[in-house]
Amino acid sequence: MLKIAICDNESLHLCYAAELVGRELSAQQAEIEGFLSLQALLGAVSSGTYTPDLAILNCNVGREALFFKGMRAIQKLNQLVPRCRILFLAAYPGRDWVFSERERRYLLSKKQKERQDRDALKQAVRMLENRPRRTSITAKAGGKTTVIPLGDVLYVERCGRKCRVVTTGGDCIASQRPEELLLDVEDAFVRCHQGYWVNLARIRSQAHNEFFLDDGSCIPISRTYRRQALACFSAYLEG
């Protein structure tokens, strides 16, 4: 399921964008979260509890100082979630702000702008859905590179700035952070703790605040990640 973040500092425009996304995408395709500021979105992403596939942002940044502040925030979002696509939505009622004089001549009617936004949204989602699916992860450490099939991975544990990959054939240490190591394969894993990412396919059962894996491992589910982890596990079981 795609995770779509919508960010606008005006609640009316935020509702409009959510309605637009809701009309174009079915509930089965997307999980939509709204944020009233870029900082709120960055806070959720920085905490590690939220990783959007698509961020839909308003483009009404106003004064020059706010523009550059917004650009820095967007650059930060790109650093935190490199795979996240960013879409600027400009078809809010009454919004006539454009980026430059060069683009001013392309200012369209509200109806045309809405159609343009719908087309851009569909294209962004289509590109996300057509991403090549990786079937392995690549662990790097000390000049050594190890390619590990996803099916062999039980879980990944954060170890400072590195991580430990626990597989059916043993463990290995990777110099990458878990977020880097699992880039583009997040859908195969569930983050259930500040330090644990579990392969959904290797979970045998869940009880209380723990996942039990098919090798006998028991992985804790923290309060911070409980709601998200259980929802992800439930969605996986439902197919």
Side-chain angles (χ1 to χ4, degrees), residues 19-40:
E19 289 175 4
L20 175 64
V21 174
R23 287 198 303 267
E24 297 305 318
L25 304 175
S26 68
Q28 289 73 31
Q29 287 181 298
E31 177 185 298
I32 303 170
E33 291 280 346
F35 298 87
L36 286 171
S37 71
L38 270 172
Q39 292 306 316

PDB file of all heavy atoms in Angstrom, residues 19-40:
ATOM      1  N   GLU A  19      -9.296  15.211  -0.754  1.00  0.00           N
ATOM      2  CA  GLU A  19     -10.445  14.819  -1.577  1.00  0.00           C
ATOM      3  C   GLU A  19     -10.008  14.472  -2.995  1.00  0.00           C
ATOM      4  O   GLU A  19     -10.487  13.511  -3.598  1.00  0.00           O
ATOM      5  CB  GLU A  19     -11.472  15.949  -1.608  1.00  0.00           C
ATOM      6  CG  GLU A  19     -12.204  16.141  -0.285  1.00  0.00           C
ATOM      7  CD  GLU A  19     -13.129  17.345  -0.320  1.00  0.00           C
ATOM      8  OE1 GLU A  19     -13.239  17.970  -1.406  1.00  0.00           O
ATOM      9  OE2 GLU A  19     -13.730  17.664   0.715  1.00  0.00           O
ATOM     10  N   LEU A  20      -9.077  15.270  -3.523  1.00  0.00           N
ATOM     11  CA  LEU A  20      -8.573  15.027  -4.878  1.00  0.00           C
ATOM     12  C   LEU A  20      -7.881  13.665  -4.944  1.00  0.00           C
ATOM     13  O   LEU A  20      -8.144  12.864  -5.854  1.00  0.00           O
ATOM     14  CB  LEU A  20      -7.584  16.126  -5.275  1.00  0.00           C
ATOM     15  CG  LEU A  20      -6.878  15.952  -6.630  1.00  0.00           C
ATOM     16  CD1 LEU A  20      -7.889  15.998  -7.767  1.00  0.00           C
ATOM     17  CD2 LEU A  20      -5.811  17.023  -6.823  1.00  0.00           C
ATOM     18  N   VAL A  21      -7.029  13.390  -3.965  1.00  0.00           N
ATOM     19  CA  VAL A  21      -6.332  12.101  -3.932  1.00  0.00           C
ATOM     20  C   VAL A  21      -7.335  10.974  -3.745  1.00  0.00           C
ATOM     21  O   VAL A  21      -7.250   9.928  -4.396  1.00  0.00           O
ATOM     22  CB  VAL A  21      -5.279  12.079  -2.805  1.00  0.00           C
ATOM     23  CG1 VAL A  21      -4.671  10.691  -2.670  1.00  0.00           C
ATOM     24  CG2 VAL A  21      -4.184  13.097  -3.079  1.00  0.00           C
ATOM     25  N   GLY A  22      -8.314  11.177  -2.851  1.00  0.00           N
ATOM     26  CA  GLY A  22      -9.315  10.156  -2.595  1.00  0.00           C
ATOM     27  C   GLY A  22     -10.132   9.819  -3.827  1.00  0.00           C
ATOM     28  O   GLY A  22     -10.511   8.657  -4.044  1.00  0.00           O
ATOM     29  N   ARG A  23     -10.427  10.823  -4.658  1.00  0.00           N
ATOM     30  CA  ARG A  23     -11.201  10.588  -5.881  1.00  0.00           C
ATOM     31  C   ARG A  23     -10.402   9.789  -6.901  1.00  0.00           C
ATOM     32  O   ARG A  23     -10.951   8.991  -7.647  1.00  0.00           O
ATOM     33  CB  ARG A  23     -11.636  11.921  -6.508  1.00  0.00           C
ATOM     34  CG  ARG A  23     -12.728  12.647  -5.768  1.00  0.00           C
ATOM     35  CD  ARG A  23     -13.386  13.694  -6.655  1.00  0.00           C
ATOM     36  NE  ARG A  23     -12.441  14.659  -7.192  1.00  0.00           N
ATOM     37  CZ  ARG A  23     -12.157  15.823  -6.623  1.00  0.00           C
ATOM     38  NH1 ARG A  23     -12.732  16.148  -5.487  1.00  0.00           N
ATOM     39  NH2 ARG A  23     -11.302  16.654  -7.183  1.00  0.00           N
ATOM     40  N   GLU A  24      -9.098  10.028  -6.934  1.00  0.00           N
ATOM     41  CA  GLU A  24      -8.268   9.413  -7.955  1.00  0.00           C
ATOM     42  C   GLU A  24      -7.745   8.041  -7.562  1.00  0.00           C
ATOM     43  O   GLU A  24      -7.424   7.232  -8.424  1.00  0.00           O
ATOM     44  CB  GLU A  24      -7.086  10.333  -8.290  1.00  0.00           C
ATOM     45  CG  GLU A  24      -7.483  11.675  -8.879  1.00  0.00           C
ATOM     46  CD  GLU A  24      -8.362  11.532 -10.113  1.00  0.00           C
ATOM     47  OE1 GLU A  24      -8.082  10.666 -10.953  1.00  0.00           O
ATOM     48  OE2 GLU A  24      -9.333  12.293 -10.213  1.00  0.00           O
ATOM     49  N   LEU A  25      -7.648   7.784  -6.260  1.00  0.00           N
ATOM     50  CA  LEU A  25      -7.080   6.523  -5.795  1.00  0.00           C
ATOM     51  C   LEU A  25      -8.059   5.822  -4.866  1.00  0.00           C
ATOM     52  O   LEU A  25      -8.703   6.449  -4.051  1.00  0.00           O
ATOM     53  CB  LEU A  25      -5.768   6.770  -5.040  1.00  0.00           C
ATOM     54  CG  LEU A  25      -4.676   7.528  -5.794  1.00  0.00           C
ATOM     55  CD1 LEU A  25      -3.505   7.785  -4.872  1.00  0.00           C
ATOM     56  CD2 LEU A  25      -4.223   6.743  -7.007  1.00  0.00           C
ATOM     57  N   SER A  26      -8.130   4.534  -4.978  1.00  0.00           N
ATOM     58  CA  SER A  26      -9.007   3.779  -4.087  1.00  0.00           C
ATOM     59  C   SER A  26      -8.359   3.631  -2.729  1.00  0.00           C
ATOM     60  O   SER A  26      -7.147   3.766  -2.581  1.00  0.00           O
ATOM     61  CB  SER A  26      -9.287   2.389  -4.676  1.00  0.00           C
ATOM     62  OG  SER A  26      -8.108   1.619  -4.672  1.00  0.00           O
ATOM     63  N   ALA A  27      -9.152   3.331  -1.714  1.00  0.00           N
ATOM     64  CA  ALA A  27      -8.631   3.178  -0.357  1.00  0.00           C
ATOM     65  C   ALA A  27      -7.620   2.039  -0.275  1.00  0.00           C
ATOM     66  O   ALA A  27      -6.729   2.031   0.561  1.00  0.00           O
ATOM     67  CB  ALA A  27      -9.782   2.933   0.609  1.00  0.00           C
ATOM     68  N   GLN A  28      -7.767   1.039  -1.171  1.00  0.00           N
ATOM     69  CA  GLN A  28      -6.848  -0.093  -1.141  1.00  0.00           C
ATOM     70  C   GLN A  28      -5.461   0.288  -1.660  1.00  0.00           C
ATOM     71  O   GLN A  28      -4.480  -0.373  -1.367  1.00  0.00           O
ATOM     72  CB  GLN A  28      -7.392  -1.249  -1.999  1.00  0.00           C
ATOM     73  CG  GLN A  28      -8.601  -1.962  -1.411  1.00  0.00           C
ATOM     74  CD  GLN A  28      -9.864  -1.127  -1.491  1.00  0.00           C
ATOM     75  OE1 GLN A  28     -10.018  -0.339  -2.422  1.00  0.00           O
ATOM     76  NE2 GLN A  28     -10.764  -1.302  -0.538  1.00  0.00           N
ATOM     77  N   GLN A  29      -5.396   1.361  -2.415  1.00  0.00           N
ATOM     78  CA  GLN A  29      -4.128   1.732  -3.027  1.00  0.00           C
ATOM     79  C   GLN A  29      -3.275   2.630  -2.146  1.00  0.00           C
ATOM     80  O   GLN A  29      -2.067   2.635  -2.256  1.00  0.00           O
ATOM     81  CB  GLN A  29      -4.365   2.451  -4.355  1.00  0.00           C
ATOM     82  CG  GLN A  29      -4.820   1.554  -5.487  1.00  0.00           C
ATOM     83  CD  GLN A  29      -5.002   2.355  -6.759  1.00  0.00           C
ATOM     84  OE1 GLN A  29      -5.838   3.254  -6.813  1.00  0.00           O
ATOM     85  NE2 GLN A  29      -4.221   2.041  -7.768  1.00  0.00           N
ATOM     86  N   ALA A  30      -3.891   3.430  -1.289  1.00  0.00           N
ATOM     87  CA  ALA A  30      -3.128   4.456  -0.594  1.00  0.00           C
ATOM     88  C   ALA A  30      -3.585   4.665   0.846  1.00  0.00           C
ATOM     89  O   ALA A  30      -4.758   4.549   1.166  1.00  0.00           O
ATOM     90  CB  ALA A  30      -3.227   5.774  -1.361  1.00  0.00           C
ATOM     91  N   GLU A  31      -2.605   4.980   1.665  1.00  0.00           N
ATOM     92  CA  GLU A  31      -2.843   5.399   3.048  1.00  0.00           C
ATOM     93  C   GLU A  31      -2.459   6.865   3.107  1.00  0.00           C
ATOM     94  O   GLU A  31      -1.305   7.232   2.896  1.00  0.00           O
ATOM     95  CB  GLU A  31      -1.977   4.561   3.991  1.00  0.00           C
ATOM     96  CG  GLU A  31      -2.066   4.940   5.445  1.00  0.00           C
ATOM     97  CD  GLU A  31      -1.094   4.133   6.286  1.00  0.00           C
ATOM     98  OE1 GLU A  31      -1.240   2.894   6.327  1.00  0.00           O
ATOM     99  OE2 GLU A  31      -0.186   4.731   6.892  1.00  0.00           O
ATOM    100  N   ILE A  32      -3.431   7.737   3.379  1.00  0.00           N
ATOM    101  CA  ILE A  32      -3.222   9.184   3.289  1.00  0.00           C
ATOM    102  C   ILE A  32      -3.081   9.791   4.683  1.00  0.00           C
ATOM    103  O   ILE A  32      -3.900   9.541   5.564  1.00  0.00           O
ATOM    104  CB  ILE A  32      -4.384   9.860   2.539  1.00  0.00           C
ATOM    105  CG1 ILE A  32      -4.535   9.255   1.140  1.00  0.00           C
ATOM    106  CG2 ILE A  32      -4.163  11.371   2.456  1.00  0.00           C
ATOM    107  CD1 ILE A  32      -5.791   9.698   0.425  1.00  0.00           C
ATOM    108  N   GLU A  33      -2.020  10.600   4.864  1.00  0.00           N
ATOM    109  CA  GLU A  33      -1.791  11.314   6.120  1.00  0.00           C
ATOM    110  C   GLU A  33      -1.685  12.805   5.807  1.00  0.00           C
ATOM    111  O   GLU A  33      -1.014  13.195   4.847  1.00  0.00           O
ATOM    112  CB  GLU A  33      -0.503  10.841   6.796  1.00  0.00           C
ATOM    113  CG  GLU A  33      -0.548   9.433   7.337  1.00  0.00           C
ATOM    114  CD  GLU A  33      -1.258   9.331   8.681  1.00  0.00           C
ATOM    115  OE1 GLU A  33      -1.483  10.385   9.311  1.00  0.00           O
ATOM    116  OE2 GLU A  33      -1.589   8.200   9.088  1.00  0.00           O
ATOM    117  N   GLY A  34      -2.337  13.641   6.627  1.00  0.00           N
ATOM    118  CA  GLY A  34      -2.288  15.077   6.424  1.00  0.00           C
ATOM    119  C   GLY A  34      -1.376  15.768   7.430  1.00  0.00           C
ATOM    120  O   GLY A  34      -1.326  15.375   8.604  1.00  0.00           O
ATOM    121  N   PHE A  35      -0.651  16.799   6.981  1.00  0.00           N
ATOM    122  CA  PHE A  35       0.249  17.566   7.848  1.00  0.00           C
ATOM    123  C   PHE A  35       0.030  19.056   7.577  1.00  0.00           C
ATOM    124  O   PHE A  35      -0.046  19.472   6.422  1.00  0.00           O
ATOM    125  CB  PHE A  35       1.710  17.202   7.582  1.00  0.00           C
ATOM    126  CG  PHE A  35       2.041  15.755   7.855  1.00  0.00           C
ATOM    127  CD1 PHE A  35       1.860  14.790   6.856  1.00  0.00           C
ATOM    128  CD2 PHE A  35       2.497  15.357   9.088  1.00  0.00           C
ATOM    129  CE1 PHE A  35       2.143  13.462   7.097  1.00  0.00           C
ATOM    130  CE2 PHE A  35       2.784  14.023   9.336  1.00  0.00           C
ATOM    131  CZ  PHE A  35       2.606  13.066   8.347  1.00  0.00           C
ATOM    132  N   LEU A  36      -0.035  19.858   8.642  1.00  0.00           N
ATOM    133  CA  LEU A  36      -0.298  21.283   8.484  1.00  0.00           C
ATOM    134  C   LEU A  36       0.972  22.120   8.328  1.00  0.00           C
ATOM    135  O   LEU A  36       0.890  23.338   8.263  1.00  0.00           O
ATOM    136  CB  LEU A  36      -1.112  21.797   9.674  1.00  0.00           C
ATOM    137  CG  LEU A  36      -2.591  21.383   9.670  1.00  0.00           C
ATOM    138  CD1 LEU A  36      -3.261  21.748  10.978  1.00  0.00           C
ATOM    139  CD2 LEU A  36      -3.331  22.029   8.489  1.00  0.00           C
ATOM    140  N   SER A  37       2.123  21.469   8.253  1.00  0.00           N
ATOM    141  CA  SER A  37       3.372  22.183   7.984  1.00  0.00           C
ATOM    142  C   SER A  37       4.430  21.197   7.525  1.00  0.00           C
ATOM    143  O   SER A  37       4.359  19.996   7.823  1.00  0.00           O
ATOM    144  CB  SER A  37       3.874  22.915   9.243  1.00  0.00           C
ATOM    145  OG  SER A  37       4.347  21.992  10.199  1.00  0.00           O
ATOM    146  N   LEU A  38       5.418  21.725   6.810  1.00  0.00           N
ATOM    147  CA  LEU A  38       6.538  20.887   6.391  1.00  0.00           C
ATOM    148  C   LEU A  38       7.307  20.377   7.593  1.00  0.00           C
ATOM    149  O   LEU A  38       7.812  19.258   7.608  1.00  0.00           O
ATOM    150  CB  LEU A  38       7.470  21.693   5.486  1.00  0.00           C
ATOM    151  CG  LEU A  38       7.185  21.662   3.979  1.00  0.00           C
ATOM    152  CD1 LEU A  38       8.067  22.673   3.262  1.00  0.00           C
ATOM    153  CD2 LEU A  38       7.410  20.270   3.414  1.00  0.00           C
ATOM    154  N   GLN A  39       7.392  21.215   8.635  1.00  0.00           N
ATOM    155  CA  GLN A  39       8.116  20.805   9.832  1.00  0.00           C
ATOM    156  C   GLN A  39       7.434  19.627  10.515  1.00  0.00           C
ATOM    157  O   GLN A  39       8.101  18.732  11.053  1.00  0.00           O
ATOM    158  CB  GLN A  39       8.242  21.988  10.804  1.00  0.00           C
ATOM    159  CG  GLN A  39       9.144  23.115  10.306  1.00  0.00           C
ATOM    160  CD  GLN A  39      10.523  22.631   9.907  1.00  0.00           C
ATOM    161  OE1 GLN A  39      11.144  21.835  10.616  1.00  0.00           O
ATOM    162  NE2 GLN A  39      11.030  23.106   8.778  1.00  0.00           N
ATOM    163  N   ALA A  40       6.101  19.610  10.503  1.00  0.00           N
ATOM    164  CA  ALA A  40       5.373  18.487  11.096  1.00  0.00           C
ATOM    165  C   ALA A  40       5.648  17.203  10.313  1.00  0.00           C
ATOM    166  O   ALA A  40       5.842  16.128  10.897  1.00  0.00           O
ATOM    167  CB  ALA A  40       3.878  18.787  11.118  1.00  0.00           C
TER     168      ALA A  40
END
